[in-house]
Amino acid sequence: MLLGALAWLLTLPLLRSPYRHRWAVVPLALGLAGFTFLGLARKARWETALPAGFQAVEGRIDAPWTRQGERLRTRIELSAPASMRGLSLPLTVPADGEQAPPVPGTPVRLRTDLRPVQPAPVFLVERPLWRARSDEAPRRIHLASAQLLEATGPAGPSLLLRLQTFARRRFEALPLGPTAKDLWGALALGIPPADEAHFSVFAESGTLHILVVSGLQVTLVMAAMEALLRRLRQRGAAAGAIAAGLVYAGLVGFSAPVWRGLFMGVAWAVGRSSGWKLPPVAGLHGALLLWLLGHPGAGVEPGFLLAWWALLGLLWGADPLAGLLSPLLGRLALPFARLAAPWLSTLPLLALLHGGAPWWGILANLLVLPLVAVLTPVCLALILLPLPGLTEGAAALLTWMGDGLAPALTGIAPLATGVLWPWLLLALGWLALAHLQGRLKRTRALTVGLMAASLWLLALRGTGRVPDTLSLESVDIGQGDALLLRVPGGDATLIDTGPGPWPGRRLARVLSRRGVREPVHLVLTHAHADHAGGWATLARLWPLASTSVPVTAGAEDPWSPFRPVGAEPGGLLRGDAWTRGGAAFSVRWPPGAFSLTDANAVSVVLRVDWRDRQLWLMGDALAIQEKDLLDLGDPGPSPHRLLKAGHHGSRSASDPAWVAALKPELAIIPAGLRNRFEHPNPETLETFRRQGTMAWITGPSAGVRAAAVEGGWHVETGDGAAAFTPLRSPTP
């Protein structure tokens, strides 16, 4: 901050020089960066000072209840404690509880655990991003039952809450199928899809922004109202559009994206009504700057950054790109450039934030956005006034878009970001191009450089990082297993994928940030959702060199709920072995094809030997399998071991006799933070303590990575901690 302020002061004299126009952007950029970082620091201090843990809380239910999976979600506006008065926090209860939750507008009191928002792992470049989610609250309330909400008076909803509840009831009464209901609610009212698969499909096609009420939908509604009023009467169209935007924003809730849409919609309406005396470029960017100055933390929000860089590409990158392509494409150069420039300008941010870019993002948006422009106001109108025939037609179109069009356009180009500086330079290059183009300077050389750099990075599949030692990383994907194993000279191996689509996307980002460029080998230990739920999503996001599962007996296929289309995994049994790089892999369980009701009993147990180190990856193997392994002669001699504890460190695994036979120096326990199973069990932790084994838990650490180094194991966690565990002295 001090260096930035000093640089800003040093540039002030340049404003009086003959070159002031050239350098005016420097203090402006530094000033905006300063506002952003000051805002983040202020928000961090404010969040840290708020109460956390069990507190007596009073407030009023402030939003309609929305079902998300197995829970109902709303918001509560607090009146106590005094330090949090006026703050609106998300609140969830079980969806199928014995007692219905209080209706919106009801004053309630409760005693609950105020949970702080957990920071994301540092290495995913997400540490500042979680603070920038301006529509999220610094604390969350997660209740085990709606009975904990004690009503202290009759419901007294505000006019705005009455309007939201009315619209929600009208929407719930519409005769819609699952896909149409998910997309209708998302487009018109900002209701998150109940089926996470719909979220994944739109994310992988580059059209995720249409599944939340954002600046796009608000601006579309305002533009539609402005066009309608302009056709009906010549005067007052801008004021009517602004009023419509305010009503719609109140209907869906004044979140950060909605506020941004209002700013941009107002700029558009005012500019159009004034005959564009204020150029649209200046108006839209002025609106974004006003938002940024009022909400500095938004300067590192992924959606904000992607929208701004796409706008840079569309407004200032398309013409230089068209000039470069005109000898090849002729008249088609400019239309093609207007489609390609936003994709190219957002490519570095997509790689850094998501681990890849959608191949068909341009075409998908070209086909989907016109439908959204029509369907958003139509769906909103049909909620208020449903018309037979038109409602069914809109539902059929949404179903086709969600089940046919968007899935046909999915496809991700995985991009490694193990080395950051090429991606950062590429992103800054598009800023420089916009600056030069806006000043009518020559941009041909810079455009050629940006195109060449983008194509080079795409051809190389990003910037890789070759491992120089054995490492095992337990990725924080909630309650479940997802391990990344890397060895020098060998391809990466993933063991399990976590419980669903979101962990699959998180794994793709981990592979990208660790510099993995090659197709990965996947081992699924057993057919439980917390280990195999992300298989289908990961297979769409990252190429798989091979997939292996334990051999089972029985007529039913236990993998059918998780299997991607066309996947034919290989089978694993005890004795199977292979090498990868300098590491030797050996399957130690199951010894045969079993047909058992508990899939944990056939969980793959994998041993990995590398030099003087040995890894035991237990999957969800239980104590009974550990005793069987002892009877079969395992674990055998090895000087130094790392154990991935079985069954998330539960009481039914990590038998003391097995741990004593292994004598691991290090144990990694994949267990989600505050998981409902209360893993790991204190008895398991005590077993490791008695053996002198250092145990690390994935959830509280935001992920754990252990690497073999000289003299021991180097451990680093997602929250920035690091430790060294020395090797045991050889037993005489």
Side-chain angles (χ1 to χ4, degrees), residues 179-272:
T179 301
K181 187 172 185 178
D182 269 2
L183 268 62
W184 196 307
L187 284 177
L189 298 177
I191 303 173
D195 187 352
E196 196 177 355
H198 292 144
F199 186 94
S200 290
V201 164
F202 281 85
E204 293 158 25
S205 63
T207 54
L208 178 61
H209 50 279
I210 74 168
L211 284 190
V212 292
V213 172
S214 62
L216 173 67
Q217 278 91 335
V218 175
T219 306
L220 285 174
V221 169
M222 295 178 72
M225 181 60 67
E226 195 274 341
L228 178 63
L229 293 177
R230 179 174 290 274
R231 181 171 293 273
L232 295 177
R233 51 180 298 180
Q234 293 296 319
R235 304 176 66 87
I242 294 172
L246 288 170
V247 172
Y248 184 47
L251 184 65
V252 300
F254 286 94
S255 64
V258 170
W259 274 114
R260 287 204 305 270
L262 272 175
F263 272 105
M264 297 177 69
V266 168
W268 177 270
V270 172
R272 184 173 174 83

Side-chain angles (χ1 to χ4, degrees), residues 190-563:
I191 303 173
D195 187 352
E196 196 177 355
H198 292 144
F199 186 94
S200 290
V201 164
F202 281 85
E204 293 158 25
S205 63
T207 54
L208 178 61
H209 50 279
I210 74 168
L211 284 190
V212 292
V213 172
S214 62
L216 173 67
Q217 278 91 335
V218 175
T219 306
L220 285 174
V221 169
M222 295 178 72
M225 181 60 67
E226 195 274 341
L228 178 63
L229 293 177
R230 179 174 290 274
R231 181 171 293 273
L232 295 177
R233 51 180 298 180
Q234 293 296 319
R235 304 176 66 87
I242 294 172
L246 288 170
V247 172
Y248 184 47
L251 184 65
V252 300
F254 286 94
S255 64
V258 170
W259 274 114
R260 287 204 305 270
L262 272 175
F263 272 105
M264 297 177 69
V266 168
W268 177 270
V270 172
R272 184 173 174 83
S273 65
S274 64
W276 299 118
K277 293 179 181 178
L278 178 68
V281 172
L284 293 176
H285 274 70
L288 290 176
L289 284 173
L290 284 175
W291 169 257
L292 185 60
L293 292 175
H295 298 78
V300 288
E301 183 187 9
F304 183 86
L305 291 173
L306 287 169
W308 201 318
W309 253 257
L311 207 56
L312 288 176
L314 179 64
L315 298 177
W316 286 296
D319 287 339
L321 186 59
L324 193 65
L325 298 176
S326 57
L328 297 175
L329 300 179
R331 293 182 178 180
L332 297 177
L334 185 57
F336 178 81
R338 286 174 176 167
L339 292 174
W343 189 85
L344 290 170
S345 62
T346 56
L347 177 66
L349 295 182
L350 288 168
L352 290 170
L353 300 175
H354 299 295
W359 280 116
W360 308 109
I362 300 170
L363 180 60
N365 280 281
L366 185 64
L367 296 175
V368 170
L369 285 180
L371 292 175
V372 173
V374 174
L375 287 173
T376 297
V378 168
C379 289
L380 185 59
L382 289 175
I383 289 175
L384 303 176
L385 184 63
L387 298 175
L390 191 56
T391 301
E392 287 76 6
L397 191 56
L398 286 171
T399 301
W400 171 76
M401 187 171 70
D403 292 340
L405 180 60
L409 297 172
T410 57
I412 296 292
L415 296 168
T417 55
V419 181
L420 292 178
W421 65 263
W423 298 104
L424 297 176
L425 285 180
L426 185 59
L428 293 175
W430 284 99
L431 276 177
L433 179 66
H435 177 61
L436 293 175
Q437 180 69 10
R439 295 176 56 241
L440 302 178
K441 298 295 183 180
R442 292 184 178 181
T443 57
R444 187 177 184 85
L446 181 56
T447 306
V448 171
L450 292 175
M451 283 286 294
S454 300
L455 295 176
W456 175 69
L457 288 170
L458 282 170
L460 293 179
R461 298 193 298 274
T463 53
R465 179 175 293 173
V466 178
D468 56 3
T469 187
L470 170 74
S471 68
L472 179 70
E473 181 167 347
S474 181
V475 182
D476 182 17
I477 43 79
Q479 180 56 30
D481 272 27
L483 307 174
L484 171 60
L485 174 63
R486 302 197 74 189
V487 294
D491 293 342
T493 302
L494 281 174
I495 299 95
D496 291 329
T497 62
W502 177 82
R505 294 192 294 274
R506 167 59 66 89
L507 281 176
R509 294 204 297 276
V510 170
L511 291 170
S512 170
R513 287 296 294 117
R514 290 306 184 199
V516 176
R517 289 192 294 189
E518 71 274 9
V520 299
H521 299 270
L522 175 63
V523 176
L524 296 170
T525 57
H526 61 293
H528 275 169
D530 59 335
H531 290 251
W535 181 13
T537 300
L538 180 67
R540 294 193 300 267
L541 297 178
W542 207 275
L544 300 180
S546 67
T547 303
S548 304
V549 301
V551 175
T552 56
E556 294 185 3
D557 179 13
W559 300 100
S560 57
F562 319 113
R563 185 196 305 269

